[in-house]
Amino acid sequence: MANILITNDDGIHSDGLLALYESLEPVGKVTVIAPDRPRSASGHAITLHKPLRADKVPLAGGAYGYSSNGTPADCVCLGALKIVEGPVDLVVAGINRGPNLGFDLTYSGTVSAAMEAAVMGISSFAISITTHEAEFGFGVAGAFARHVADILLARKLPSGMFLNVNLPDAPSEQITGVEITRQGVRHYDGRVETRSDPMGRTYYWLGGDLPVDVLEEGTDVKAIADNKISITPIDLDLTATAMIESLREWSVTQFPLGPAR
Ligand code: MN
């Protein structure tokens, strides 16, 4: 039976994590280890300077999981190297409440958990619904998670690669297809708000504004705008290959080396 490790960045008691657990349970032995509190937008942080805990806690529906004071990436490390007995065949992060599209990937704890698995050489994917309200529930996302899990357990992803899956904010009958996409452009403008506390001191709040999407064909943001399920293969290799020649032309390499100075 396949060993599946699931985590998220919304916290151990998130309904999306429970939906993921229930949808993957028929596929293998599922171990849950997730942050003890919301850790969205925590990126790929790992904890090096304080003790990490993983306490067994009951989940809704009778199952149990491990609640950790660590980050999503910590949970993947702890789960794969300590908690799960034997090798982990698949890591799934989600089901996240909220999109992970375009530049979101650089902030996302959900995506970073899948990325950490890729670093460790374990097949993985991140899965998100592109709404924070989840008014249509996690039914389609759960079924799609199982569909992708079946495929990744049968086929090996190339080393250093993983998948980023997003589902549109729509009921199943309005979802128009499944598209393999590339990472698009989504950025946040005017995202620092200035406010005043009761003592009259200034404070700031990040992330208030709506994202700006560049709706280019073939991208994750465009597929979601078209009510499609988006699957983007992601590579740990962040090299901008197109820049290599330009950098040479900019004479960056022409730097006099030699005697110490
Ligand atoms: Mn989240």
Side-chain angles (χ1 to χ4, degrees):
M1 209 176 189
N3 247 337
I4 303 173
L5 178 65
I6 69 170
T7 190
N8 72 353
D9 74 359
D10 294 336
I12 184 84
H13 295 299
S14 142
D15 49 2
L17 182 67
L18 187 65
L20 183 63
Y21 176 82
E22 286 169 351
S23 61
L24 296 183
E25 224 200 338
V27 181
K29 185 177 183 299
V30 183
T31 304
V32 183
I33 174 166
D36 58 7
R37 74 203 86 156
R39 291 279 201 164
S40 291
S42 62
H44 204 144
I46 54 169
T47 303
L48 298 176
H49 302 291
K50 65 175 189 185
L52 281 176
R53 311 280 178 186
D55 300 320
K56 215 168 176 176
V57 296
L59 305 175
Y64 68 86
Y66 293 87
S67 172
S68 175
N69 59 339
T71 63
D74 288 330
C75 288
V76 172
C77 275
L78 285 179
L81 300 177
K82 285 288 167 191
I83 307 278
V84 176
E85 280 173 37
V88 171
D89 303 298
L90 179 68
V91 170
V92 187
I95 300 167
N96 187 63
R97 268 182 189 256
N100 278 308
L101 302 167
F103 298 168
D104 291 341
L105 272 69
T106 58
Y107 306 105
S108 171
T110 310
V111 171
S112 295
M115 190 179 281
E116 181 62 19
V119 169
M120 298 174 76
I122 305 169
S123 284
S124 65
F125 67 97
I127 183 162
S128 308
I129 55 172
T130 55
T131 162
H132 293 277
E133 279 73 38
E135 59 270 49
F136 305 116
F138 293 95
V140 183
F144 198 74
R146 174 167 178 183
H147 170 68
V148 176
D150 281 335
I151 292 168
L152 292 194
L153 287 169
R155 296 167 176 272
K156 185 93 181 85
L157 276 170
S159 155
M161 298 189 191
F162 64 99
L163 304 180
N164 180 40
V165 179
N166 281 270
L167 284 98
D169 180 17
S172 61
E173 63 274 15
Q174 282 171 27
I175 297 178
T176 56
V178 180
E179 189 177 337
I180 314 295
T181 55
R182 65 180 189 278
Q183 187 185 358
V185 174
R186 144 173 292 206
H187 53 92
Y188 296 81
D189 289 351
R191 58 179 172 154
V192 185
E193 265 190 53
T194 308
R195 297 185 187 178
S196 217
D197 74 12
M199 261 73 78
R201 285 168 53 214
T202 296
Y203 69 95
Y204 304 96
W205 202 282
L206 282 187
D209 248 22
L210 286 176
V212 181
D213 287 341
V214 179
L215 295 179
E216 207 180 314
E217 213 53 62
T219 61
D220 52 3
V221 284
K222 179 70 164 74
I224 289 300
D226 292 343
N227 268 354
K228 290 178 184 161
I229 297 174
S230 164
I231 312 178
T232 313
I234 305 290
D235 193 344
L236 283 176
D237 181 354
L238 301 179
T239 310
T241 308
M243 270 301 293
I244 288 180
E245 269 316 304
S246 315
L247 266 185
R248 286 204 181 100
E249 282 162 22
W250 293 359
S251 309
V252 181
T253 52
Q254 288 168 32
F255 178 75
L257 295 165
R261 59 181 150 162

Coordinates of all heavy atoms in Angstrom, one line a residue, residues 5-8 15-26 30 92-95 125 127 138 141-142 145-146:
L5 N 1.9 11.1 2.5 CA 2.0 12.2 3.5 C 1.2 13.4 3.1 O 1.4 13.9 1.9 CB 3.5 12.5 3.7 CG 3.8 13.5 4.8 CD1 3.4 13.1 6.2 CD2 5.3 13.8 4.7
I6 N 0.3 13.9 3.9 CA -0.4 15.1 3.5 C -0.1 16.2 4.6 O 0.0 16.0 5.7 CB -1.9 14.9 3.2 CG1 -2.7 14.6 4.5 CG2 -2.1 13.8 2.2 CD1 -4.2 14.7 4.3
T7 N -0.1 17.5 4.1 CA 0.1 18.6 4.9 C -0.6 19.8 4.3 O -1.2 19.7 3.2 CB 1.6 18.9 5.1 OG1 1.8 19.9 6.2 CG2 2.3 19.4 3.9
N8 N -0.4 21.0 4.9 CA -1.0 22.2 4.3 C -0.4 23.4 4.9 O 0.6 23.3 5.7 CB -2.6 22.2 4.5 CG -3.0 22.4 5.9 OD1 -2.1 22.5 6.8 ND2 -4.3 22.6 6.2
D15 N -10.6 22.5 7.0 CA -11.5 21.6 6.3 C -11.0 21.1 5.0 O -11.3 20.0 4.6 CB -12.9 22.2 6.1 CG -12.9 23.6 5.5 OD1 -11.8 24.1 5.2 OD2 -13.9 24.2 5.4
G16 N -10.1 21.8 4.4 CA -9.5 21.4 3.1 C -8.6 20.2 3.3 O -8.5 19.3 2.5
L17 N -7.9 20.2 4.5 CA -6.9 19.1 4.8 C -7.8 17.8 5.1 O -7.4 16.8 4.6 CB -6.1 19.5 6.0 CG -5.1 18.5 6.5 CD1 -3.9 18.4 5.4 CD2 -4.5 18.9 7.8
L18 N -8.8 18.0 5.8 CA -9.7 16.9 6.1 C -10.3 16.3 4.8 O -10.3 15.1 4.6 CB -10.8 17.3 7.0 CG -11.7 16.1 7.6 CD1 -10.9 15.2 8.4 CD2 -12.9 16.7 8.3
A19 N -10.7 17.2 3.9 CA -11.3 16.7 2.6 C -10.2 16.0 1.8 O -10.5 14.9 1.1 CB -11.8 17.9 1.8
L20 N -9.0 16.4 1.9 CA -7.9 15.8 1.2 C -7.6 14.4 1.8 O -7.5 13.4 1.1 CB -6.6 16.6 1.3 CG -5.4 16.1 0.5 CD1 -5.6 16.0 -1.0 CD2 -4.1 17.0 0.8
Y21 N -7.6 14.3 3.1 CA -7.5 13.0 3.8 C -8.5 12.0 3.3 O -8.2 10.9 3.0 CB -7.5 13.3 5.3 CG -7.5 12.0 6.1 CD1 -6.3 11.4 6.4 CD2 -8.6 11.3 6.5 CE1 -6.2 10.2 7.1 CE2 -8.6 10.1 7.2 CZ -7.4 9.6 7.5 OH -7.3 8.4 8.2
E22 N -9.8 12.5 3.3 CA -10.9 11.6 3.0 C -10.8 11.1 1.5 O -11.1 10.0 1.2 CB -12.2 12.2 3.3 CG -12.5 12.3 4.8 CD -13.6 13.1 5.3 OE1 -14.2 13.9 4.4 OE2 -14.0 13.1 6.5
S23 N -10.3 12.0 0.7 CA -10.3 11.6 -0.7 C -9.1 10.7 -1.0 O -9.1 9.9 -2.0 CB -10.2 12.8 -1.7 OG -9.1 13.6 -1.4
L24 N -8.0 10.8 -0.2 CA -6.8 9.9 -0.5 C -6.8 8.6 0.3 O -6.0 7.7 0.0 CB -5.6 10.7 -0.3 CG -5.3 12.0 -1.2 CD1 -4.0 12.6 -0.9 CD2 -5.4 11.6 -2.6
E25 N -7.6 8.5 1.3 CA -7.6 7.4 2.1 C -7.8 6.0 1.3 O -7.2 5.1 1.7 CB -8.7 7.5 3.2 CG -8.3 7.1 4.6 CD -9.4 6.7 5.5 OE1 -10.5 7.2 5.2 OE2 -9.2 6.0 6.4
P26 N -8.7 6.0 0.3 CA -8.8 4.8 -0.4 C -7.6 4.4 -1.3 O -7.4 3.3 -1.7 CB -10.0 5.1 -1.4 CG -10.7 6.3 -0.9 CD -9.6 7.1 -0.2
V30 N -2.5 7.1 4.6 CA -2.3 8.5 4.6 C -1.9 9.0 6.0 O -2.6 8.7 7.0 CB -3.6 9.2 4.2 CG1 -3.4 10.8 4.2 CG2 -4.1 8.7 2.8
V92 N 1.3 15.3 -0.6 CA 0.3 16.2 -1.2 C 0.0 17.3 -0.2 O -0.2 17.1 1.0 CB -1.1 15.5 -1.5 CG1 -2.0 16.4 -2.2 CG2 -0.8 14.2 -2.3
A93 N 0.0 18.6 -0.7 CA -0.2 19.7 0.2 C -1.5 20.4 -0.2 O -1.7 20.7 -1.4 CB 1.0 20.7 0.0
G94 N -2.4 20.6 0.7 CA -3.7 21.2 0.5 C -4.8 20.6 1.3 O -4.5 20.0 2.3
I95 N -6.0 20.7 0.9 CA -6.5 21.5 -0.2 C -6.5 22.9 0.3 O -7.2 23.2 1.3 CB -7.9 21.0 -0.7 CG1 -7.8 19.6 -1.2 CG2 -8.4 21.9 -1.8 CD1 -9.2 18.9 -1.3
F125 N 2.5 17.0 -5.1 CA 1.8 18.1 -5.7 C 1.1 19.0 -4.7 O 0.8 18.5 -3.6 CB 0.8 17.6 -6.8 CG -0.4 16.8 -6.4 CD1 -1.6 17.4 -6.1 CD2 -0.2 15.4 -6.1 CE1 -2.7 16.6 -5.8 CE2 -1.3 14.7 -5.8 CZ -2.6 15.3 -5.6
I127 N -2.3 21.5 -4.1 CA -3.6 21.6 -4.7 C -4.4 22.7 -3.9 O -4.4 22.7 -2.7 CB -4.4 20.3 -4.8 CG1 -5.8 20.5 -5.4 CG2 -4.5 19.6 -3.4 CD1 -6.4 19.2 -5.9
F138 N -15.3 21.1 -1.3 CA -14.1 20.6 -1.7 C -14.3 19.3 -2.5 O -13.3 18.5 -2.7 CB -13.2 20.2 -0.5 CG -12.7 21.5 0.2 CD1 -13.4 21.9 1.3 CD2 -11.6 22.2 -0.2 CE1 -13.0 23.1 2.0 CE2 -11.2 23.3 0.5 CZ -11.9 23.8 1.6
A141 N -12.3 19.2 -5.9 CA -10.9 19.3 -5.6 C -10.4 17.9 -5.0 O -9.4 17.4 -5.4 CB -10.6 20.4 -4.7
G142 N -11.2 17.4 -4.1 CA -10.9 16.1 -3.5 C -10.8 15.0 -4.5 O -9.8 14.2 -4.6
A145 N -7.8 15.5 -6.7 CA -6.6 15.2 -5.9 C -6.3 13.6 -6.0 O -5.2 13.2 -6.2 CB -6.7 15.6 -4.4
R146 N -7.4 12.9 -5.9 CA -7.3 11.4 -6.0 C -6.8 11.0 -7.4 O -6.0 10.2 -7.5 CB -8.6 10.8 -5.6 CG -8.5 9.3 -5.8 CD -9.5 8.5 -5.3 NE -9.2 7.1 -5.7 CZ -10.0 6.0 -5.4 NH1 -11.1 6.2 -4.7 NH2 -9.6 4.8 -5.8

